[in-house]
Amino acid sequence: MATAEKVFSAPRQPILRSNAAQKLLAFAALIVIFAVFSFLSPFFATPENIVGILLATAVNGVLALGVTFVIVTAGIDLSVGTVMTLSAVMTGLTVSLAGWPVPLGILIGVLTGSVAGLINGLIISRMRVPPFIATLGMMMVARGLALVLSTLETGTIKPIYFNDVPVFRQLMMGSILSPLLAPVAPDFNLPNAVLILFVAALVAAFVLAKTVLGRYTVAIGSNEEATRLSGVGVAGWKTAVYALGGTFSGLAGVMIASRLNSAQPALGVGYELDAIAAVVIGGTSLSGGQGTILGTIIGAFIISTLTNGLRIMNVPQEWQFVVTGLIVILAVYLDILRRRRM
Amino acid sequence: MGDLLLKMAGIEKSFPGVHALSQAQFELRAGEVHALVGENGAGKSTLMKILSGIYSKDAGSVRYQGKEVEISSPRAAQHLGISMIHQELNLMNHLTLAQNVFVGREPRQPLRFMLDEAKINAQTQALFDSMHLRLDPRTLAAELTVAKQQMVEIAKALSFNSQVLIMDEPTAALTESEIDELFRIIRQLRSKGVGIVYISHRLEELKQISDRITVMRDGHYVDTVDAKAVTIDQIIGMMVGRAIYESSPEVPEQPEQAVVLAVRGLNRGTAIRDVSFVLKKGEILGFAGLMGAGRTEVARAIFGADPIDSGEIFVKGIRTAIQSPRDAVRHGIGYLSEDRKRYGLAVGLSVEANIALASFEQFVGSLGVVDDSKVRSIASRYVDLLSIKTPGIQQLVRNLSGGNQQKVVIGKWLTADTEILIFDEPTRGIDVGAKSEIYRLLNELAHAGKSILMISSELPEILRMSHRIVVMCEGRITGELSAAEATQEKIMRLATQRSGMVAATENSFAAKAEVR
């Protein structure tokens, strides 16, 4: 048996040691950014501002959750921003104009996202259109549809307000946790939006790590052909991944409508890039096969903390774009450095 | 041997430009090891990919367990109990071994959509134990060597309780003791009544392991013989069928020739370890070794396609810093990749555009405009010279056969006036007839004073073409042989000569890691 032991034992190569490092790095970066802004401005580390940061992260964070799945399969979804808007408009139409019950309107908004994602998935996996092109097309289609639907009421493009249904705004801005938090932190008015983000993140993390869908997401991104040869129906699972991504966009649509108390049909373009940036900063590889939900959430917080901090420092918005862009490039460059070492 | 398990008859398959299978047939009994042999391009893998549902057949019938079956997908094949272990490794690096073994049929708990990680780890452990494989199911696939990944693939196929197990060159990357282990497992399966299809180029293995041997040639069925009653020479005779290769290099050794390329102490991580060699004018230097031995890495490093940690490269005696393919081309080095379509050709462009690709500067006039007539005349000259079979120089390269595509790449580097040509698997994916033409061309190039470094995994090809042979294993050069002294056995011994000290340290470390 001695020979067999020698031959078949696995040499442990510390190849993946630095995977955790990137996540740690991102987290450390978040802490540093936070510390720096706290030092520079007395208005930064206040309860109100922290709530503001959390609130600002919610929508982008939920979008980024869906994008994480897509990117782990080595795909891309450019349509998440405008699909979010379309979902918001659908909720607006059903709840505010048609007067349907709020839960039903929310469901329709979320499902609108699922359907858009499903169509993305079918175009990509059945018609074999590259994800970049398919979702670019969907991005424009959803944008157009959102604008068209917003004209139904008055014949011109205009936002749909939820003023008749005040309960809808409570979805995001209300705080079911406040009574619980009151004894320890009375000033800390944690809006539901943050709760929704964390619940969605937990669900996403569970799906990615513990379910069949998550397993195939990683497998497809790692080696699509090998996955197919293992007897996995790759086309179907890929479709499911895009549908899941769309579902998160739908949820984000409902959230942004609630937060703005209106469905803004012209909104949405550019959101997909923030979401992709969050995913990438969080250490998910664009070449597929690896990525974590925790990383994505950290990435989303890095972006919103930076934006918030720079605004508090009175840095003009134009420069905020520049900084975010440089951070994205830096994050991907670190990822490439890490790969080269392997 | 048991009952007839499988019978394929009259199988036809065509790919664009290639008639891969013509009236191919094959049968398999329960509890037999049936070897399928033939040269590259004979159609063995194609036939087995049809059986395992990867390709669909154009015509013919497959009878399995007494019934006519249509195998439309890999999944359908698995359901029938037919699995194939592919030549190219097919593991997902980002998943653990257990996740790899059970991908596509994970046991789930307690709700239908949830994975049961503990269960697959336990089942995979049991599977590894039955194979005497000392691996932790929770290890990531990326952490294993090529040989170990292959063993995991075999474990994966075994886990299907397959009735038919197809192994495509399973020993290509294994050492002697690993092969013994594999054979032990194969015999164990045979005794359980599994039918095993064994595709291999290593004919000496077939006598050891197989019961019957079926020979294929150029997509046709040749014969099926009893393994005990046939000699290796007879098998080779059936495989080759006609004299297709020159028997030995035509160019005599010319040791007084000048050294055109010298490499000293080349290093990059664990992929290239202290590699030194010289290449002389008019010489074909063969680079032999198993998959993953580091030959392509050395070629790419010399060509400037990958960075190196340390080492010196001398071109015609002058120390040269080659930091990019552009530098390499400027110093007269051309690299013909093993993956022509990805790295060698712009298949969507015409023959003439590809031939001019590496040397466009030659064809640019004073105003920065490409001189089309000059491109055309050079391209036409090489099409004639290399007898590239194409309807015209405007033809898209995509539409040419593999052999002619390879000639276009050669034409490209000749146009660029390269003195040193690195051929990486020059005949991979090229049909048998076109192969001999590539060989003739290589000989002619060497005659004309070009220096050729030829990487090949086909030992007969190395032996027939090379003046000298360098053998690599695990990133190191383990030996050098002259054409006169080289035999398949000697090359294989060098190709599997692992560095003892390194292996021992790694293993003791691994053993410790596994104790916990």
Side-chain angles (χ1 to χ4, degrees), chain A residues 1-5 7-8, chain B residues 127-134 147 151 154 158 167 171 174-189 208-209:
Chain A
M1 237 26 265
T3 33
E5 197 155 347
V7 171
F8 292 112
Chain B
L127 193 64
F128 286 168
D129 288 347
S130 76
M131 291 173 68
H132 298 279
L133 219 54
R134 301 292 159 97
M151 297 310 281
I154 291 166
L158 295 184
M167 298 188 180
T171 57
L174 302 191
T175 62
E176 289 299 321
S177 48
E178 286 166 330
I179 290 172
D180 288 345
E181 186 64 18
L182 173 67
F183 282 2
R184 188 185 62 70
I185 291 159
I186 290 177
R187 291 195 182 99
Q188 184 185 327
L189 288 170
Q208 266 188 66
I209 191 71

Side-chain angles (χ1 to χ4, degrees), chain A residues 8-10 210 216 222 230-231, chain B residues 75 94 104 106 115 156 181 510:
Chain A
F8 292 112
S9 58
K210 296 285 176 194
Y216 292 161
S222 182
S230 300
Chain B
R75 166 154 272 194
H94 302 92
E106 291 83 355
L115 297 164
K156 177 177 169 181
E181 186 64 18

Side-chain angles (χ1 to χ4, degrees), chain B residues 52-53 72 188 205 233 255 257 274-275 288 321 324 377 390 426 454-455:
Chain B
S52 57
S72 53
Q188 184 185 327
E205 283 174 11
D233 285 343
Q257 290 284 21
D274 197 24
V275 164
S324 68
S377 74
T390 168
M454 184 184 77
I455 298 170

Side-chain angles (χ1 to χ4, degrees), chain B residues 481-493:
Chain B
L481 300 163
S482 68
E485 60 180 336
T487 61
Q488 296 214 10
E489 290 71 28
K490 281 185 188 163
I491 295 176
M492 279 316 297
R493 206 168 302 131

Side-chain angles (χ1 to χ4, degrees), chain B residues 192-422:
Chain B
K192 287 180 188 160
V194 177
I196 293 154
V197 185
Y198 190 91
I199 300 177
S200 180
H201 278 303
R202 299 192 184 173
L203 299 179
E204 65 280 13
E205 283 174 11
L206 303 185
K207 296 284 280 178
Q208 266 188 66
I209 191 71
S210 63
D211 301 304
R212 289 193 294 168
I213 300 173
T214 288
V215 183
M216 291 186 72
R217 184 172 70 229
D218 299 346
H220 295 265
Y221 170 82
V222 177
D223 201 1
T224 300
V225 293
D226 187 340
K228 302 286 172 293
V230 72
T231 67
I232 288 178
D233 285 343
Q234 284 170 323
I235 301 172
I236 292 173
M238 287 191 283
M239 276 168 58
V240 180
R242 56 197 151 105
I244 198 120
Y245 303 115
E246 295 91 323
S247 53
S248 64
E250 289 172 347
V251 195
E253 276 226 61
Q254 293 164 305
E256 72 281 4
Q257 290 284 21
V259 169
V260 292
L261 175 74
V263 172
R264 256 187 238 156
L266 206 61
N267 274 296
R268 178 161 61 82
T270 54
I272 305 172
R273 306 187 208 186
D274 197 24
V275 164
S276 307
F277 66 92
V278 296
L279 176 66
K280 295 174 192 161
K281 190 172 168 63
E283 174 182 57
I284 300 178
L285 178 65
F287 255 64
L290 301 175
M291 280 189 299
R295 297 165 299 164
T296 297
E297 285 77 2
V298 168
R300 287 177 59 92
I302 294 171
F303 190 58
D306 293 327
I308 55 173
D309 296 342
S310 64
E312 299 174 316
I313 296 169
F314 298 84
V315 177
K316 291 180 179 159
I318 300 158
R319 181 161 178 203
T320 316
I322 296 175
Q323 271 155 2
S324 68
R326 189 180 155 80
D327 290 346
V329 173
R330 216 179 287 141
H331 287 102
I333 302 174
Y335 174 59
L336 291 83
S337 163
E338 58 185 321
D339 193 342
R340 283 187 298 277
K341 288 190 182 130
R342 260 176 80 191
Y343 302 119
L345 288 167
V347 291
L349 293 184
S350 64
V351 170
E352 59 171 4
N354 270 286
I355 287 180
L357 201 56
S359 38
F360 252 116
E361 281 144 27
Q362 287 182 33
F363 304 110
V364 177
S366 51
L367 291 170
V369 179
V370 175
D371 184 347
D372 280 328
S373 65
K374 205 169 159 196
V375 171
R376 266 196 296 278
S377 74
I378 297 256
S380 304
R381 204 176 90 216
Y382 281 112
V383 166
D384 290 344
L385 215 60
L386 304 171
S387 48
I388 300 173
K389 289 192 199 74
T390 168
I393 54 173
Q394 309 282 353
Q395 178 73 9
L396 297 188
V397 166
R398 182 184 291 130
N399 299 331
L400 302 187
S401 72
N404 284 303
Q405 288 185 350
Q406 185 66 289
K407 289 182 190 173
V408 171
V409 187
I410 296 174
K412 174 174 93 175
W413 289 117
L414 294 180
T415 306
D417 210 19
T418 44
E419 289 296 312
I420 299 163
L421 288 165
I422 305 174

